[in-house]
Amino acid sequence: TFNGNWKIERNEDYEKFMEKMGINMVKRKLASHDNLKITLEQTGDKFHVKETSAFRTLEIDFTLGVTFEYSLADGTELSGSWTMEGDMLKGVFNRKDNGKPLTTTRIIQGDELIQSYNYEGVDAKRIFKKY
Ligand code: MYR
């Protein structure tokens, strides 16, 4: 289950990914130490997400397979949806400014939640532990 309170533990290639996203160096440095925490609550095919970071606090509701809007901390707007493939959450989003896809997955591996990202051929991971 994805349910629980998750706190960022480490990143892999996240700065490179943000660079591909067009985020400037100062923001990349800040964002790689954003102290991101997410709380996930799944009820059937509905998720409630609380996100807290150095940048902001927000709550999001989505239903698997249903398109919704999400803004990144820098204001970049995405539109897309999450689906479940086996034990994996798979997100397919498109940037509203340029139409390009950003794909992401969440899986539980041991005591970690691993979120992977892909944009324009660049992969990154953010790895969370329960708190
Ligand atoms: C959620 O489930 O937490 C809400 C929806 C998340 C949408 C996709 C997230 C992509 C985040 C990319 C971060 C890129 C920073 C440059």
Side-chain angles (χ1 to χ4, degrees):
T1 175
F2 291 94
N3 289 349
N5 299 312
W6 300 96
K7 186 180 188 310
I8 190 74
E9 165 84 10
R10 63 188 188 277
N11 299 320
E12 287 177 14
D13 298 321
Y14 190 48
E15 289 210 32
K16 204 170 119 195
F17 174 82
M18 288 189 283
E19 188 173 3
K20 196 69 179 177
M21 286 285 287
I23 295 167
N24 74 43
M25 190 182 71
V26 172
K27 288 182 183 171
R28 293 201 301 272
K29 294 290 170 202
L30 293 171
S32 54
H33 301 284
D34 63 356
N35 288 316
L36 180 60
K37 290 178 184 167
I38 53 176
T39 297
L40 297 173
E41 273 174 53
Q42 182 180 9
T43 310
D45 60 356
K46 294 186 194 303
F47 277 82
H48 183 68
V49 183
K50 287 181 202 162
E51 175 184 320
T52 307
S53 70
F55 301 115
R56 59 182 184 170
T57 295
L58 76 164
E59 302 199 20
I60 307 132
D61 287 287
F62 64 83
T63 301
L64 294 175
V66 178
T67 298
F68 64 101
E69 322 281 306
Y70 177 78
S71 296
L72 304 181
D74 74 338
T76 303
E77 293 181 42
L78 305 177
S79 173
S81 65
W82 287 105
T83 54
M84 195 72 82
E85 287 190 6
D87 290 337
M88 178 183 289
L89 268 172
K90 193 174 171 195
V92 179
F93 294 86
N94 282 278
R95 283 176 68 142
K96 290 197 183 181
D97 56 350
N98 65 12
K100 290 182 177 172
L102 187 165
T103 57
T104 177
T105 60
R106 284 179 175 140
I107 52 162
I108 305 294
Q109 226 168 65
D111 62 349
E112 297 182 329
L113 183 154
I114 302 175
Q115 183 158 9
S116 301
Y117 305 90
N118 179 278
Y119 179 72
E120 291 282 289
V122 177
D123 290 305
K125 282 183 186 166
R126 303 201 79 186
I127 296 142
F128 299 80
K129 276 199 155 67
K130 277 206 172 143
Y131 71 93

